Amino acid sequence: MFSSYIESILIFNGIHIIMALSLYLPFSAGQISLAQAGFMAIGAYASSVMTLFWGFPFYIALFLSGLLSAMTGVLVGFPAIRIKGIYLLLLTLAFGEMVRVFFLNFEFTGGASGMGGMDLQTNFVNVYTIVAILIIFFYRLSKSRMGRAFESMREDELAAEVMGINIVKAKLLAFGVGAFIAGLGGGLYAHYVMYIDSPKFGFLLAVEFFVFVVFGGMEIFWGPIIGTTLLTLIPEVVRFLKEWRMIFYGLVIVVLMIVRPQGLIDKKLVDDITRYAKKLF
Amino acid sequence: MKAQRFYRFVAVACIALLIAFASAIPAAEAGLKGKSVKVGVIVPLAGPAISWGQHSLLGAEIARDEINAAGGIGGIPLELIVEDTASKSDQAISLARKLAEQDKVLIILGPILSSACEMVFPVTNRMKIVAVSPTSAKPGVSAKNRPWAYRNNLTSDKTLGPALEKWVKDNNIKKAGIIYDSSDAVSTGEGAKVYPAFFKKFGVEIVDSLTVQKKDIDFSAHITRIKAKNPDGVALAAQAEQAANIVREMRRQGLNIPVITGVECANPLFIRTGKGDVEGVWTASASWAGNPDPKVKKFVTKFMKRKDGEKPNSGGFKSYDSIYIIKEIIEKYGVTNDPKDLSKDRDRLRNGWKNVKNFPGVSGLTTINEVGDGVSMPAILCVKSGQWVAAK
């Protein structure tokens, strides 16, 4: 369909979209998380252990590693019930680093020398099928009771609780499902690059996902999708700028944050587009 | 009947050979087709691995400029198409595909980091294009990815073996301690595998093996513990700055025994950090910038002029040599550079790399071994009045 160069950029883009959506889910409930790189690492390592050492079929391994990641997500969600704002940021950051250091020293998965030899299982079709499923999921969520609960929690947690929303359940769900999605992303990543080592899943990666979401906008799930796609493609398109391209990348983010602090895509924009589109047809 | 069949076979074989020769010789003499010979380069030009990337790239550029000034390869210039990974190993996957498919390069020089090699080699293997890393030193990476992956660099076990043997013998080491950085892939390889294996071979008892982590700054507890075990020498494996600080702590506690470090330390940074305390420390390196050989001197002078007086690390040496090896293969193996022959040319380059034997370059005589790693005589170095010199 495309040249394999374009295809591989699109596959990385798809994996990044999955990761950005995994961050967006707790975000949409007002929970800021820098732990997504850690969940991704759990998914990547767990799925690789299952396919490589235990001979599980890829899709089963992918699903199970998502579940494992979700369980860890719920565990991280427990302290998050009482912790808010910048403290939560710190807690999730610390968790992400814990995961990284754990895999750095865990000999079973290769320790510092990493883990390789997985089969190539990830391709354009399965990555974007998962992206499509996630889009449907997030669309349905935004129209559902839980989605609206998330939204009210983001705006005002106390008011949401007074209105009768079960904050504990909602927070754990947001963290757990977010971690599940991140686990899927990790499994897909591991079976595309076919070699993983723990420095990859450090704090910088978590910040990268964070930037994707903030850049695209956190009001609606189209934000992280568009934001990720733009920020993944921009450095590739401006490759001719050589050493200056990362500066260009930074500049784009700075300008956007000044012009549109709410992110590129917000609810109003989506509503406007839908209205315009309805008028057209 | 059988004899007749045999003669017929011989005749056919002779004709086939003749045709092969006839087609190969004019191709080599008539010069190459196309506008330029394209070589892809994948290096990190930002991020933590930047110095390896810059040195390797400059080494290749110096070789390119020399070749083009002398008339190019087969009458056409050599062109390097450089792609930057920004030290993100997974980016190298897309870049290798871009170079092979969009730019249609004959061969790829790189990637630099072993982790990037682990990701790229399976890809280049599938695309049937040679990738040659001038720096990756983690044992076993090319062996896993036959037949298209090559590394023109000594793996850390091959570099350190001769140095360890000499170090043990010259300093009469019977008991040794090991300290290594378990959060670094290269250091862990050396500290957990290479040192123990060679010490066992040379009959040295390992009294203790301790690990440190990147960013650790206080090593007093490690040294106190090692000191209590009373070893004859200590083998270190850590990045240059950290290793130098470990040596300083040893000297501070009055532990004045011989020290040998891993390949990460064979650079000026180690001496700058360690000041006078690292005097007499040994290491091994795939190349040696202080080599008095005129060919090496000429290269080092050129390199220093273009890099503000900085001496090349082994990446510079090995990529300079790699470009010359590529030139030799193109001339010897009848590469045509015809776009129609791209896959055949790539296969010729693969065949050429397989058969590299005693290539005389600035890093000594290079031979590619059966698993695709370059083998050359490593330099055994020690610090003497603030310089790395050959250990005697």
Side-chain angles (χ1 to χ4, degrees):
Chain A
M1 199 158 32
F2 324 100
S3 83
S4 81
Y5 164 52
I6 306 288
E7 190 193 2
S8 86
I9 288 177
L10 290 178
I11 287 175
F12 278 120
N13 183 45
I15 294 171
H16 287 161
I17 289 178
I18 293 170
M19 292 309 300
L21 286 174
S22 89
L23 179 62
Y24 169 77
L25 189 62
F27 229 87
S28 69
Q31 311 297 307
I32 307 171
S33 164
L34 280 179
Q36 300 318 104
F39 295 134
M40 185 183 184
I42 293 173
Y45 275 102
S47 63
S48 305
V49 166
M50 287 181 221
T51 56
L52 204 60
F53 297 166
W54 302 340
F56 282 28
F58 172 63
Y59 290 102
I60 291 173
L62 193 65
F63 184 72
L64 289 179
S65 60
L67 279 187
L68 181 71
S69 180
M71 283 195 293
T72 343
V74 171
L75 284 182
V76 177
F78 270 113
I81 293 168
R82 293 183 162 273
I83 300 173
K84 277 181 204 154
I86 197 142
Y87 305 102
L88 180 61
L89 201 69
L90 211 63
L91 178 135
T92 51
L93 173 72
F95 170 77
E97 285 298 287
M98 263 167 58
V99 172
R100 183 183 67 81
V101 175
F102 171 77
F103 283 115
L104 190 60
N105 293 299
F106 190 48
E107 276 307 315
F108 181 63
T109 55
S113 54
M115 190 176 178
M118 292 76 92
D119 287 336
L120 180 67
Q121 298 278 8
T122 303
N123 52 42
F124 184 82
V125 175
N126 58 21
V127 168
Y128 280 92
T129 307
I130 291 181
V131 170
I133 293 172
L134 286 177
I135 289 177
I136 296 169
F137 167 76
F138 275 96
Y139 179 76
R140 302 276 301 164
L141 183 72
S142 68
K143 305 276 177 213
S144 75
R145 198 182 136 83
M146 195 42 103
R148 280 194 288 270
F150 283 169
E151 205 177 321
S152 63
M153 276 164 66
R154 185 181 67 216
E155 298 304 329
D156 192 330
E157 210 177 296
L158 193 66
E161 196 164 11
V162 170
M163 276 182 353
I165 290 168
N166 186 344
I167 297 273
V168 172
K169 190 178 143 199
K171 277 187 178 176
L172 291 183
L173 199 71
F175 263 102
V177 178
F180 177 79
I181 300 171
L184 293 185
L188 289 170
Y189 176 81
H191 289 81
Y192 185 63
V193 302
M194 298 181 278
Y195 170 81
I196 47 176
D197 58 353
S198 93
K200 161 78 192 168
F201 302 104
F203 153 72
L204 276 176
L205 189 71
V207 174
E208 206 173 302
F209 300 144
F210 195 74
V211 173
F212 289 160
V213 176
V214 175
F215 180 88
M218 37 198 145
E219 276 181 25
I220 188 163
F221 66 92
W222 289 110
I225 295 176
I226 306 284
T228 307
T229 309
L230 284 178
L231 288 185
T232 310
L233 296 187
I234 285 173
E236 296 301 327
V237 174
V238 297
R239 250 185 198 287
F240 63 91
L241 291 174
K242 297 255 160 85
E243 297 90 272
W244 299 97
R245 75 192 165 97
M246 289 328 266
I247 294 177
F248 181 81
Y249 178 90
L251 206 68
V252 168
I253 294 176
V254 170
V255 168
L256 188 99
M257 287 296 107
I258 294 169
V259 182
R260 276 183 84 84
Q262 75 274 41
L264 199 60
I265 313 281
D266 58 358
K267 268 220 163 109
K268 194 176 161 295
L269 186 75
V270 176
D271 287 347
D272 286 351
I273 293 173
T274 359
R275 210 171 308 131
Y276 186 70
K278 269 183 191 157
K279 232 183 255 171
L280 266 182
F281 302 109
Chain B
M1 198 60 192
K2 254 186 191 164
Q4 215 172 359
R5 206 178 281 170
F6 176 71
Y7 287 131
R8 203 183 297 158
F9 170 74
V10 169
V12 169
C14 281
I15 291 167
L17 269 177
L18 263 176
I19 293 171
F21 274 121
S23 59
I25 293 166
E29 279 178 350
L32 299 182
K33 293 199 172 132
K35 278 197 198 111
S36 61
V37 175
K38 286 194 266 189
V39 174
V41 183
I42 301 178
V43 285
L45 296 174
I50 183 168
S51 111
W52 286 103
Q54 285 179 339
H55 281 225
S56 304
L57 177 59
L58 185 53
E61 283 176 343
I62 291 174
R64 174 200 64 191
D65 294 346
E66 284 177 6
I67 289 170
N68 287 347
I73 304 176
I76 56 173
L78 175 72
E79 185 189 349
L80 300 180
I81 298 174
V82 183
E83 295 295 351
D84 169 23
T85 65
S87 299
K88 287 183 189 162
S89 296
D90 47 17
Q91 287 216 350
I93 296 177
S94 310
L95 294 177
R97 290 177 191 271
K98 173 182 179 291
L99 289 169
E101 287 184 354
Q102 257 178 33
D103 300 319
K104 306 211 182 311
V105 299
L106 285 178
I107 183 169
I108 293 171
L109 180 68
I112 298 300
L113 297 172
S114 289
S115 63
C117 288
E118 297 252 27
M119 294 178 186
V120 164
F121 285 166
V123 175
T124 47
N125 240 352
R126 210 167 310 126
M127 291 192 300
K128 300 198 188 316
I129 179 170
V130 175
V132 184
S133 171
T135 48
S136 164
K138 183 172 156 188
V141 179
S142 358
K144 273 192 285 191
N145 295 291
R146 300 281 87 232
W148 294 88
Y150 288 93
R151 293 186 300 172
N152 181 19
N153 191 25
L154 288 163
T155 49
S156 50
D157 52 334
K158 295 214 175 56
T159 319
L160 282 168
L164 277 169
E165 184 171 13
K166 191 170 155 62
W167 182 70
V168 166
K169 216 168 81 190
D170 288 13
N171 296 301
N172 199 17
I173 309 279
K174 294 273 181 294
K175 294 186 292 179
I178 297 174
I179 303 178
Y180 68 94
D181 179 355
S182 64
S183 62
D184 185 279
V186 180
S187 306
T188 307
E190 291 169 348
K193 295 198 183 105
V194 179
Y195 289 154
F198 279 110
F199 281 153
K200 197 175 166 202
K201 193 170 150 198
F202 304 140
V204 176
E205 184 199 343
I206 300 168
V207 291
D208 210 345
S209 176
L210 301 177
T211 59
V212 295
Q213 299 274 311
K214 251 177 213 157
K215 291 173 193 154
D216 280 3
I217 40 171
D218 181 17
F219 307 107
S220 48
H222 298 89
I223 303 303
T224 312
R225 190 171 142 186
I226 283 269
K227 202 176 159 186
K229 302 273 171 79
N230 203 16
D232 302 321
V234 170
L236 286 180
Q239 291 297 327
E241 256 176 315
Q242 202 179 20
N245 284 326
I246 295 173
V247 178
R248 296 192 79 177
E249 178 62 29
M250 286 175 64
R251 303 306 186 224
R252 201 182 64 80
Q253 293 198 17
L255 189 63
N256 290 314
I257 52 173
V259 174
I260 188 163
T261 68
V263 291
E264 310 94 301
C265 297
N267 55 44
L269 182 64
F270 178 73
I271 301 177
R272 269 210 303 278
T273 315
K275 311 237 164 52
D277 288 338
V278 295
E279 204 65 15
V281 171
W282 290 46
T283 194
S285 172
S287 63
W288 175 33
N291 194 332
D293 179 350
K295 191 165 56 180
V296 179
K297 254 188 173 164
K298 198 177 120 210
F299 168 67
V300 172
T301 325
K302 263 189 194 166
F303 190 98
M304 286 168 72
K305 208 184 266 170
R306 287 171 69 162
K307 194 84 180 76
D308 305 322
E310 219 176 299
K311 278 183 185 165
N313 61 28
S314 72
F317 281 92
K318 290 293 185 185
S319 57
Y320 178 86
D321 280 352
S322 302
I323 294 290
Y324 271 103
I325 293 177
I326 291 169
K327 175 177 184 274
E328 198 185 86
I329 292 171
I330 290 176
E331 287 167 350
K332 248 195 194 165
Y333 286 78
V335 172
T336 58
N337 201 37
D338 192 332
K340 275 182 283 174
D341 280 355
L342 188 61
S343 55
K344 270 189 215 154
D345 280 348
R346 285 176 177 169
D347 193 58
R348 288 181 183 122
L349 276 156
R350 179 196 59 74
N351 195 24
W353 270 99
K354 197 174 83 183
N355 296 319
V356 170
K357 207 163 186 192
N358 288 330
F359 176 85
V362 287
S363 57
L365 295 176
T366 300
T367 300
I368 296 292
N369 69 9
E370 67 288 350
V371 295
D373 289 332
V375 183
S376 59
M377 193 58 210
I380 304 171
L381 305 173
C382 82
V383 183
K384 207 169 182 188
S385 31
Q387 290 285 340
W388 283 116
V389 299
K392 289 201 184 81

